[in-house]
């Protein structure tokens, strides 16, 4: 059993119930949610094909969403530069519109197991531990890049959509 699977198995009795509905996280550099529905149906998903991290998924409705399951956003600007419809633009706010939070009921460290898997990939040093345990994310430092999410062996890092966009 892989280490991640083992942690997932060990943490399963205290895991909270699954999210009831999927949260759609949009790419960075957007200003108006309505623009996705209005413009993306006439585009071949240029933002997705330009993303070297391959984290932009084009949905059935042809609008893009971010998938943090394998990687995160480097804020490289490529998706905004590729968007010919002006939905994504360097003129707009940069950061991905979500709060990244550690679920204290499923996090191994909050159960007393030493783990720094999320801390290492965080270039912002936004994940703070108290005496090597009980990590929390400093929202003032976090850029919502998502790199910590796929590194957590117990899937304990949650994404909260500031826009509350149900699927
Ligand atoms: S800024 Fe770069 S890494 Fe982030 S979603 Fe856009 S293309 Fe991908
Ligand atoms: S490149 Fe722009 S118009 Fe095309 S799918 Fe992405 S956000 Fe929509
Ligand atoms: S989402 Fe926030 S806490 Fe996680 S790696 Fe990025 S900056 Fe750090």
């Amino acid at each position: 059993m892989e280490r991640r699977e083992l942690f997932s198995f060990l943490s399963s009795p205290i895991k909270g119930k699954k999210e009831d509905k999927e949260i759609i996280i949009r790419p960075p550099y957007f200003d108006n949610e309505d623009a996705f529905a209005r413009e993306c149906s006439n585009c071949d998903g240029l933002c997705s094909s330009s993303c070297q991290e391959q984290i932009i998924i084009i949905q059935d409705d042809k609008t893009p969403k971010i998938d943090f399951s394998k990687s995160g956003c480097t804020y490289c600007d490529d998706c905004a530069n590729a968007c010919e419809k002006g939905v994504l633009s360097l003129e707009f706010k940069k950061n991905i519109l979500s709060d990244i939070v550690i679920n204290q009921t499923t996090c191994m460290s909050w159960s007393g197991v030493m783990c720094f898997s999320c801390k290492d990939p965080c270039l912002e040093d936004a994940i703070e531990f108290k005496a090597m345990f009980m990590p929390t994310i400093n929202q003032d430092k976090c850029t919502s890049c998502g790199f910590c999410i796929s590194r957590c062996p117990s899937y304990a890092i949650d994404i909260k959509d500031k826009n509350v966009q149900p699927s």
Side-chain angles (χ1 to χ4, degrees), residues 148-159:
C148 55
I149 292 172
S150 63
R151 301 288 289 274
C152 174
S154 58
Y155 306 97
I157 302 180
D158 292 337
I159 308 163

Side-chain angles (χ1 to χ4, degrees), residues 128-142:
E128 299 171 351
F129 288 70
K130 284 183 193 155
M132 300 173 72
F133 292 99
M134 297 181 286
T136 54
I137 295 179
N138 182 334
Q139 298 298 329
D140 291 335
K141 289 185 177 177
C142 178

Side-chain angles (χ1 to χ4, degrees), residues 73-154:
C73 177
T74 59
Y75 294 110
C76 65
D77 299 350
D78 285 353
C79 53
N81 286 325
C83 180
E84 296 175 346
K85 307 282 185 183
V87 181
L88 310 180
S89 169
L90 297 183
E91 291 175 26
F92 304 144
K93 59 186 171 293
K94 179 174 169 179
N95 284 2
I96 290 169
L97 198 60
S98 66
D99 284 331
I100 310 294
V101 294
I102 292 176
N103 185 327
Q104 297 178 8
T105 62
T106 51
C107 169
M108 302 299 286
S109 182
W110 275 88
S111 296
V113 176
M114 193 171 286
C115 173
F116 299 103
S117 297
C118 58
K119 185 175 177 61
D120 294 340
C122 182
L123 299 179
E124 309 300 328
D125 200 22
I127 304 183
E128 299 171 351
F129 288 70
K130 284 183 193 155
M132 300 173 72
F133 292 99
M134 297 181 286
T136 54
I137 295 179
N138 182 334
Q139 298 298 329
D140 291 335
K141 289 185 177 177
C142 178
T143 62
S144 301
C145 70
F147 275 108
C148 55
I149 292 172
S150 63
R151 301 288 289 274
C152 174
S154 58

Side-chain angles (χ1 to χ4, degrees), residues 14-55:
I14 55 173
K15 234 175 187 173
K17 71 182 177 72
K18 286 244 176 225
E19 294 276 324
D20 290 327
K21 50 192 175 187
E22 183 191 5
I23 291 172
I24 296 174
I25 304 295
R26 296 301 190 188
Y29 311 103
F30 85 93
D31 185 48
N32 183 351
E33 171 64 30
D34 294 340
F36 290 106
R38 193 174 59 242
E39 303 289 350
C40 296
S41 59
N42 296 315
C43 172
D44 292 330
L46 298 176
C47 55
S48 175
S49 52
S50 73
C51 179
Q52 293 188 28
E53 297 296 327
Q54 300 184 321
I55 61 171

